[in-house]
Amino acid sequence: MDNLKNSYKKDLYSVIEDIESNSKVEIVTMIKSQSGVYRDISFFYGAVILFLAYSFFMFSPPEFDVYLIYFFTIAAFVIGFSIVEFISPIKSILISKKRKNKQVEIYARAIFQKAGIRHTKDKIGVFIYVSVFEKQTYIIADRGAEMSMPNEDWEEIKTKFQNVFSTPNFYQAVIESLQSSKPFFSKYLPPVENDVNELPDNLDVDI
Amino acid sequence: MKLYKLLYISVIALFAFFLINSILPQVTSARPGGGHSYSSGSSSSSSSSSSSSSSSGGGTYSGGSSQSGGGSGEFTWLGMLILVSIVAAAVFIDKYVTNRKEAKEILSTPTRENFRENTDKVEKAIKELKKIDPNFSKTLFLDFASSIYTKYHSWYDKPELKNLVPYMLNVRIDNNKDEAIKKHIYNIVIGSIHISEVKLQSATQGIVVTIEANYSVKQNNKRTRYIVTEKWNFFRDAGVLSHEPEKMRELSCPNCGAAANFTDAGVCESCGTLIKPGEMQWELLTSSIQNQEVFETGGLAYYAPEKGTGYETLFQKNYKNEFEVFAKNNNVEFEVWKNNFETKVAKQYFTKIYDAWSTNNLNVVRNLLTDRLYESFDFWIKNYKRKKLLNKLDNVKVYKVEFVKVDTDKFYESVTIRIAASCFDYVQNKEGKVEGGSKSIPRVFTEYWTFIRRSGVKIDDYDYSKCPNCGAPANKIGQTGICDYCDTKISNGDFSWVLSIITQDEVYKG
Ligand SMILES: [Zn+2]
Ligand SMILES: [Zn+2]
């Protein structure tokens, strides 16, 4: 498992290295399993089920033992909470798209800031953030990078990355999307002689 | 299958079991409009054996009257089990959710493998460079870069900064007229320096150096110490040849060799030549700070867990062959030389240096260290002393020495070994109380040590208590590495090996 992750990381970095040797852009890519915890959703649905179970015990015709009521309402909460908390597709449906998008944006911006991607002299840092649970990609291009390319082309790159979620091999698709955006970067942000990678190798993304 | 999934499933299974087990009889025994649960308490009192349990558990079973007393006891037991399971589940969910908070992530930073590939690329490029410029020496280049780095910072607020005009494209003296907020930089210590990129282009050649350093800044009479990682990007015109060691080590006019003394425009005061950046010598094009933080001495007794000890040894490509060539150049049998170096140089240096560190007394090994390594050791020792601490390294045992890399150029030879060792590593205060580390559990670790020696020098080992040049006691070798008796610098490796770099496993890149 770790080996697989390592070899993927190596490939990911190699692709970016390749892009950067043909362009002055400085790309950082991050794939994160989720951008938020959304535990309130699980608590909320746990509480709903608890309420339903409690109502059932209270008002249904048969008489129930107090222990049964006590344990079952607690159990109902745990089950309701767990179903939402641990079964991602269910959780995903229950959270509004707007909230998910907002969460991804907040997270991406926070990392862009914390990792110091804006610390390039010509403002040519580009952060590609892929959040798996939310099925969202968020790309932040620093001022210099953003202005160097027509918006239409940025949109095309963004679409490429958004499409990774509808492919069978998601991880490979991220790498392929990077590869296919290479021409954009080398065209609009051509390499300069004696250019140095300004961003550090060990980015601090702990937030 | 992960443990948490198993746990989760077993909790759910328990619930399901309980559900089926209890709901079925419940439905059959439920009495519409019947008495509440406590009313059935009388039925359990009939079975005297379970009366206490039923009173404390309170009519456990509404339909209990139709069941035996034993059934009610069983139910209480099950109830407790459920309660425990719920608590366990809650604890576990909490733990799992916390784990999830540090959600899995993949960040496009280089892996060890990427670093390894980069090292190979750099080494290959240096080989190319040596073909074009036979005078090029990695050791000397890094000395040159260090010297520019140190001079730039120490001259930051001084008129001498103009002497760097031939070596830097954008020298800017801190012309702040307000003395109070003017920055004065001092105590510059380079912790590590290595070449991270070599660019051989048609018109220019570039070398990027990564420097980890720390220095103090005095501003408004307040002192701050910073730890920084910087990238310095040097370049020169293609076709320029490297200078000999003396001109690389000391800042001097690349034309006439006189000590650096230039006008603001970059004209040598001695020979009157205008030295344009990059035309005769490496020149700093750009620099960028990668990381910076304020240095605090509070962490001196803190021990981070040893990392990378289990890593595979990183050998240079074709290292066996490279060592054979090295041995041939020195007219020695490799195996014989290797055994001698291991016992009489590597292990000796290792124990001597560890002992010196242990007693806060670096002077006794001054002849074994290069200036840069000495200065960086000295920095830490001074900090321990200031805090009245001692970093003891007792019972040092060397298990294994592997020869991993050898590098030869016109002026220098360097040999890198990986040493596996153990010792009791702890920090104690003035009263002898241990403040960090352990006196009883040995720390097992490995480190990469790089030694350098001037090419052509054949001496490997000598009496380390004596000056390798004049044979006088090695007790008067000051900070500068110059023997007071013969007035000769011995920390450059001109007479025998000097230890130049120590790298931890997790950062060694080949
Ligand atoms: Zn001159
Ligand atoms: Zn001497």
Side-chain angles (χ1 to χ4, degrees):
Chain A
M1 195 59 201
D2 245 21
N3 266 340
L4 210 71
K5 193 181 161 186
N6 254 332
S7 93
Y8 179 75
K9 249 189 96 148
K10 179 185 174 271
D11 292 347
L12 185 66
Y13 185 76
S14 301
V15 175
I16 291 173
E17 234 182 356
D18 180 42
I19 295 175
E20 290 181 357
S21 63
N22 289 287
S23 162
K24 66 172 176 178
V25 72
E26 296 210 19
I27 296 179
V28 175
T29 303
M30 186 180 195
I31 302 170
K32 187 128 179 127
S33 58
Q34 56 183 46
S35 300
V37 180
Y38 311 105
R39 218 196 299 188
D40 57 312
I41 295 284
S42 312
F43 273 113
F44 176 75
Y45 284 96
V48 166
I49 297 196
L50 178 145
F51 179 71
L52 289 177
Y54 186 66
S55 307
F56 170 75
F57 285 122
M58 274 308 280
F59 301 112
S60 74
E63 184 80 357
F64 293 104
D65 179 271
V66 283
Y67 261 88
L68 196 71
I69 296 172
Y70 179 68
F71 287 129
F72 262 79
T73 43
I74 294 175
F77 173 78
V78 172
I79 290 168
F81 176 88
S82 308
I83 285 175
V84 178
E85 183 66 27
F86 299 118
I87 305 176
S88 305
I90 292 178
K91 195 175 185 181
S92 185
I93 289 166
L94 296 175
I95 307 168
S96 73
K97 192 153 177 68
K98 201 179 149 198
R99 180 172 172 195
K100 281 188 281 189
N101 289 354
K102 195 75 209 161
Q103 191 67 31
V104 169
E105 184 188 339
I106 290 170
Y107 212 94
R109 290 199 179 281
I111 292 176
F112 183 84
Q113 182 70 19
K114 181 75 192 273
I117 300 169
R118 66 200 166 81
H119 289 314
T120 56
K121 209 169 71 251
D122 297 334
K123 304 285 168 202
I124 35 81
V126 172
F127 181 46
I128 299 167
Y129 179 67
V130 183
S131 193
V132 180
F133 171 75
E134 289 85 355
K135 293 198 190 316
Q136 268 296 319
T137 305
Y138 200 86
I139 298 180
I140 303 175
D142 208 348
R143 286 202 309 266
E146 188 172 37
M147 297 289 281
S148 66
M149 204 188 295
N151 193 46
E152 209 173 297
D153 288 347
W154 272 119
E155 290 304 323
E156 198 178 326
I157 292 173
K158 284 177 184 169
T159 313
K160 278 182 209 294
F161 277 95
Q162 192 52 44
N163 287 344
V164 299
F165 294 106
S166 43
T167 54
N169 191 343
F170 160 80
Y171 289 101
Q172 195 48 41
V174 172
I175 287 188
E176 279 160 16
S177 303
L178 275 166
Q179 277 162 340
S180 65
S181 19
K182 182 179 156 184
F184 291 94
F185 294 120
S186 49
K187 183 172 171 189
Y188 294 111
L189 289 155
V192 283
E193 259 208 359
N194 295 311
D195 180 35
V196 181
N197 217 336
E198 289 172 83
L199 297 178
D201 289 334
N202 50 337
L203 292 165
D204 181 6
V205 292
D206 230 12
I207 53 173
Chain B
M1 180 108 115
K2 290 239 171 77
L3 186 72
Y4 67 80
K5 278 192 180 159
L6 235 131
L7 226 131
Y8 180 65
I9 285 165
S10 54
V11 168
I12 292 290
L14 238 154
F15 275 130
F17 171 76
F18 176 65
L19 206 76
I20 295 159
N21 203 27
S22 53
I23 281 222
L24 288 180
Q26 191 62 47
V27 173
T28 52
S29 63
R31 287 167 293 152
H36 63 83
S37 52
Y38 277 99
S39 70
S40 64
S42 58
S43 74
S44 54
S45 69
S46 67
S47 74
S48 57
S49 64
S50 65
S51 67
S52 64
S53 78
S54 67
S55 65
S56 68
T60 47
Y61 206 176
S62 71
S65 57
S66 64
Q67 306 279 331
S68 70
S72 98
E74 197 180 311
F75 196 82
T76 317
W77 179 81
L78 239 160
M80 294 306 282
L81 199 74
I82 293 295
L83 196 68
V84 169
S85 313
I86 288 170
V87 170
V91 167
F92 144 77
I93 282 170
D94 189 59
K95 200 177 165 189
Y96 177 55
V97 170
T98 339
N99 278 345
R100 271 185 134 195
K101 248 191 213 159
E102 311 158 15
K104 289 164 217 110
E105 63 187 33
I106 298 172
L107 184 65
S108 62
T109 47
T111 62
R112 274 173 68 76
E113 199 56 38
N114 293 121
F115 277 129
R116 187 66 216 266
E117 278 178 6
N118 189 55
T119 305
D120 288 346
K121 225 163 79 186
V122 167
E123 291 295 331
K124 218 178 126 200
I126 290 178
K127 272 211 169 103
E128 282 302 308
L129 183 58
K130 276 186 200 162
K131 277 186 205 155
I132 312 167
D133 171 13
N135 282 0
F136 183 82
S137 159
K138 201 165 116 182
T139 305
L140 284 174
F141 176 78
L142 291 177
D143 278 348
F144 170 77
S146 306
S147 137
I148 296 279
Y149 184 87
T150 313
K151 293 242 155 57
Y152 171 72
H153 285 94
S154 52
W155 286 346
Y156 185 74
D157 58 337
K158 298 184 182 68
E160 286 98 313
L161 194 65
K162 71 177 168 54
N163 288 335
L164 289 179
V165 169
Y167 308 102
M168 291 177 128
L169 197 61
N170 302 303
V171 182
R172 193 174 47 81
I173 297 177
D174 184 8
N175 273 329
N176 209 320
K177 291 281 182 291
D178 192 347
E179 273 301 317
I181 58 166
K182 199 170 192 166
K183 280 184 180 173
H184 171 57
I185 304 174
Y186 60 103
N187 270 354
I188 302 123
V189 174
I190 294 179
S192 87
I193 179 167
H194 72 269
I195 295 177
S196 46
E197 208 181 334
V198 177
K199 286 174 291 193
L200 303 177
Q201 297 147 149
S202 52
T204 57
Q205 299 166 343
I207 296 183
V208 181
V209 176
T210 304
I211 302 167
E212 282 169 42
N214 52 71
Y215 51 73
S216 295
V217 175
K218 202 167 102 186
Q219 194 179 20
N220 196 13
N221 267 325
K222 296 178 179 96
R223 174 187 182 271
T224 316
R225 192 147 187 101
Y226 294 98
I227 309 181
V228 292
T229 306
E230 298 188 34
K231 264 191 184 170
W232 281 46
N233 183 16
F234 290 91
F235 96 115
R236 68 179 183 190
D237 295 350
V240 176
L241 294 188
S242 296
H243 298 276
E244 54 270 33
E246 291 64 37
K247 274 193 190 173
M248 289 297 278
R249 281 229 171 80
E250 298 304 326
L251 275 195
S252 56
C253 169
N255 186 45
C256 70
N261 187 13
F262 301 97
T263 66
D264 289 352
V267 175
C268 172
E269 301 271 21
S270 302
C271 64
T273 311
L274 171 67
I275 313 293
K276 278 193 195 144
E279 263 186 8
M280 292 185 188
Q281 175 62 292
W282 296 99
E283 174 233 358
L284 182 76
L285 185 64
T286 54
S287 69
S288 67
I289 295 183
Q290 307 258 294
N291 285 306
Q292 64 181 74
E293 56 185 289
V294 173
F295 175 75
E296 318 267 4
T297 46
L300 279 177
Y302 169 74
Y303 276 75
E306 196 65 27
K307 268 195 290 185
T309 305
Y311 286 160
E312 264 177 60
T313 304
L314 282 182
F315 290 100
Q316 172 186 26
K317 259 190 189 164
N318 299 325
Y319 71 99
K320 278 186 184 139
N321 196 31
E322 300 281 350
F323 272 109
E324 286 298 343
V325 171
F326 162 82
K328 223 175 131 194
N329 286 343
N330 282 298
N331 293 323
V332 285
E333 194 73 44
F334 174 61
E335 285 301 323
V336 177
W337 173 84
K338 184 183 156 191
N339 288 334
N340 184 60
F341 188 91
E342 180 175 333
T343 48
K344 295 211 171 119
V345 181
K347 285 180 176 172
Q348 294 286 322
Y349 277 47
F350 194 84
T351 40
K352 278 182 199 302
I353 289 165
Y354 265 65
D355 282 348
W357 180 277
S358 251
T359 48
N360 277 0
N361 181 15
L362 280 180
N363 289 340
V364 296
V365 290
R366 183 63 192 90
N367 52 336
L368 310 184
L369 306 168
T370 58
D371 293 357
R372 221 164 36 233
L373 193 61
Y374 172 79
E375 279 157 19
S376 129
F377 276 4
D378 191 48
F379 165 73
W380 290 106
I381 295 284
K382 272 184 183 145
N383 274 294
Y384 280 121
K385 277 185 180 164
R386 193 170 299 136
K387 287 257 156 189
K388 298 202 164 47
L389 295 171
L390 200 58
N391 181 196
K392 298 281 280 177
L393 308 160
D394 293 348
N395 208 7
V396 180
K397 281 186 191 132
V398 177
Y399 294 117
K400 198 173 164 191
V401 175
E402 286 172 293
F403 288 71
V404 300
K405 186 175 181 177
V406 62
D407 189 33
T408 311
D409 58 51
K410 190 170 170 188
F411 301 107
Y412 280 92
E413 295 171 325
S414 80
V415 167
T416 304
I417 55 173
R418 189 189 197 200
I419 303 182
S422 78
C423 71
F424 297 115
D425 180 356
Y426 56 95
V427 172
Q428 69 177 32
N429 64 15
K430 224 170 42 181
E431 286 81 38
K433 189 175 159 275
V434 176
E435 295 209 344
S438 171
K439 235 175 165 167
S440 52
I441 304 161
R443 184 171 70 94
V444 181
F445 59 95
T446 55
E447 287 172 342
Y448 288 87
W449 282 36
T450 301
F451 297 82
I452 59 162
R453 184 176 72 176
R454 186 81 186 238
S455 295
V457 174
K458 307 283 179 208
I459 296 165
D460 285 305
D461 56 296
Y462 62 96
D463 182 351
Y464 298 122
S465 63
K466 289 183 177 149
C467 166
N469 182 40
C470 67
N475 58 358
K476 281 197 175 170
I477 300 165
Q479 298 217 340
T480 49
I482 295 171
C483 168
D484 219 22
Y485 297 101
C486 61
D487 202 25
T488 306
K489 193 165 181 79
I490 56 177
S491 56
N492 283 343
D494 288 352
F495 302 97
S496 179
W497 297 102
V498 280
L499 180 63
S500 120
I501 307 167
I502 296 180
T503 319
Q504 302 303 316
D505 299 89
E506 67 271 25
V507 282
Y508 185 74
K509 288 150 194 162

